[in-house]
Amino acid sequence: MISANLSAIFYLVSGVLFILALRGLSSPETSRQGNFFGIVGMVIAVVVTFLSTDNFSVGFIYVLIFILLGGSIGAFIAYRIPMTAMPELVAGFHSLVGLAAVFVAIAAFLNPQAFNLGVPGKIKLGSLIEMSIGAAVGAITFSGSVIAFLKLQGIMSGSPITFKGQHPLNAIILISIIALIYLLCSTQSANLFWILLGVSFLIGFLLIIPIGGADMPVVISMLNSYSGWAAAGIGFTLENTALIITGALVGSSGAILSYIMCKGMNRSFFNVILGGFGATDEVKGSSTKEQRPVKSGNADDAAFLMKNASSVIIVPGYGMAVAQAQHALREMVDTLKKNDIKVSYAIHPVAGRMPGHMNVLLAEANVPYDEVFELEEINNDFANADVAFVIGANDVTNPVAKTDPQSPIYGMPVLDVEKCKSVLFVKRSLSPGYAGIDNDLFYKENTLMLFADAKKMTEDITKNL
């Protein structure tokens, strides 16, 4: 066992490493280093927690078995998961963080002596408040993350699920959670504790089901924030400094990221939480598409336009992720560069289904970081570019966001792809994007639709080049 002072020093070191991890993860160039700092910080925190325990030998073997079992399962899943399913994986892992907070709160409430919190019925008031808040936030995180996982996986419809009186019901439940926490702290009733957990699980479901697929990147970062605050709350209950620091860092960074994502979509945070974004009638969209002509081409046409261009802007989206076309895209770009054609990549902040999804895929294909630009940096360049090569990006290129006040994505900043001299749009069909609305870019005079699998079309263009 190590002294309390030495434990505090090591926890401080792990906290500094977590801060360095976040700093590293802010850029693709330093993300590997950031991951390394995070791993080292977590190893230090876990080892110090074990060594700080009075009864170090009691139950140690069981804890070690479950750590190895859970770690092996997590490593296996992470190794096997395709990049397209990364958002679902993140949502699933968030749910487990929330569930862990709930389990710790249950253990602390049923057996407070083990945590030096008092005895059943006479738990310290401060600890009970922290425990109640941590349990409630953890339950919300768990159930909300489960719904997000089901929507992203396609098991549940990505469209918003709404019903009359939904918002007042949510408000009543949230107020009841606050009331339950107050009553629980006053009476320390076990029944109230279980009711609090049940109501918190319920509001987690109700908060996420009305959120449409196009807002999923914000939901992912929001649930990330919730999981952090749940961990911080339980950290106070356990009087574990490392858990408090880690939870606070995750919670605050997730909240900041959610704000950045909402700003990138020109939407308020409360609109995302309360709104049914993407609730557009897809049948109506289908009939509209049949009446509007589109120009379609093939790999020969695309190669001809690119060969005669001086500058090309690549716009990747979720379709590229589904087709795993990032490596084929890199080969095509390398071929263009050999012909002295300037190439750059335009990334929308909500392209894909989680923050940074496209950046990760491009980094996987070893695309140079200095060729990748965010929306604000490159949007003015489309008017001067010869060709925009849109590979599976739909909602983030839809001009309707700037022209139709009735559109559910109206006001969301989009990439000004239509301003290019020529637009090559790789897509399997004219089906709407995740927001459920038709894309006006399909029908522009300067747009050539390339109906095919993104990877195969890109490889065919490279051969023709």
Side-chain angles (χ1 to χ4, degrees), residues 90-91 94 137 140-145 147-148 203-211 215-230 250-262 268-274 354-355:
V90 172
H94 285 164
V137 176
I140 293 170
T141 304
F142 171 74
S143 54
S145 298
I147 295 297
I203 191 63
F205 286 117
L206 294 176
L207 283 175
I208 304 302
I209 59 172
I211 300 177
D215 279 342
M216 272 301 145
V218 181
V219 173
I220 293 295
S221 61
M222 179 190 71
L223 291 170
N224 178 50
S225 179
Y226 287 178
S227 67
W229 296 125
V250 173
S252 56
S253 61
I256 292 169
L257 181 58
S258 298
Y259 170 77
I260 293 172
M261 300 294 285
C262 286
S268 76
F269 182 76
F270 290 104
N271 279 345
V272 173
I273 299 303
L274 300 175
M354 64 179 288

Side-chain angles (χ1 to χ4, degrees), residues 8-213:
I9 292 172
F10 278 118
Y11 281 147
L12 181 61
V13 170
S14 66
V16 171
L17 287 170
F18 292 144
I19 293 171
L20 292 175
L22 284 177
R23 179 184 175 88
L25 292 171
S26 65
S27 168
E29 294 178 276
T30 57
S31 59
R32 290 180 185 272
Q33 187 182 58
N35 266 321
F36 175 76
F37 284 141
I39 292 169
V40 173
M42 186 54 68
V43 169
I44 292 174
V46 170
V47 171
V48 171
T49 299
F50 272 122
L51 296 179
S52 301
T53 305
D54 293 331
N55 299 317
F56 175 66
S57 59
V58 178
F60 173 74
I61 187 66
Y62 298 109
V63 175
L64 188 61
I65 288 172
F66 282 113
I67 286 177
L68 292 174
L69 181 63
S72 299
I73 294 172
F76 177 77
I77 292 173
Y79 179 76
R80 293 292 301 273
I81 203 79
M83 279 305 303
T84 49
M86 194 58 66
E88 294 96 298
L89 179 68
V90 172
F93 282 172
H94 285 164
S95 72
L96 296 179
V97 174
L99 193 59
V102 172
F103 282 153
V104 172
I106 292 173
F109 184 80
L110 296 179
N111 188 17
Q113 302 100 312
F115 300 89
N116 297 318
L117 303 178
V119 295
K122 292 183 180 180
I123 301 173
K124 298 174 186 176
L125 179 60
S127 299
L128 191 58
I129 294 172
E130 296 155 2
M131 185 194 311
S132 303
I133 294 174
V137 176
I140 293 170
T141 304
F142 171 74
S143 54
S145 298
V146 168
I147 295 297
F149 172 83
L150 295 175
K151 282 177 173 274
L152 290 166
Q153 189 69 17
I155 299 173
M156 177 184 286
S157 171
S159 300
I161 300 173
T162 58
F163 54 86
K164 190 176 181 180
Q166 189 169 38
H167 299 331
L169 176 62
N170 289 348
I172 291 170
I173 294 176
L174 288 171
I175 293 171
S176 70
I177 288 175
I178 298 172
L180 283 167
I181 291 175
Y182 173 78
L183 293 173
L184 176 62
C185 294
S186 301
T187 64
Q188 302 208 11
S189 165
N191 289 335
L192 287 176
F193 179 76
W194 295 114
I195 293 172
L196 172 64
L197 287 182
V199 172
S200 299
F201 280 124
L202 176 63
I203 191 63
F205 286 117
L206 294 176
L207 283 175
I208 304 302
I209 59 172
I211 300 177

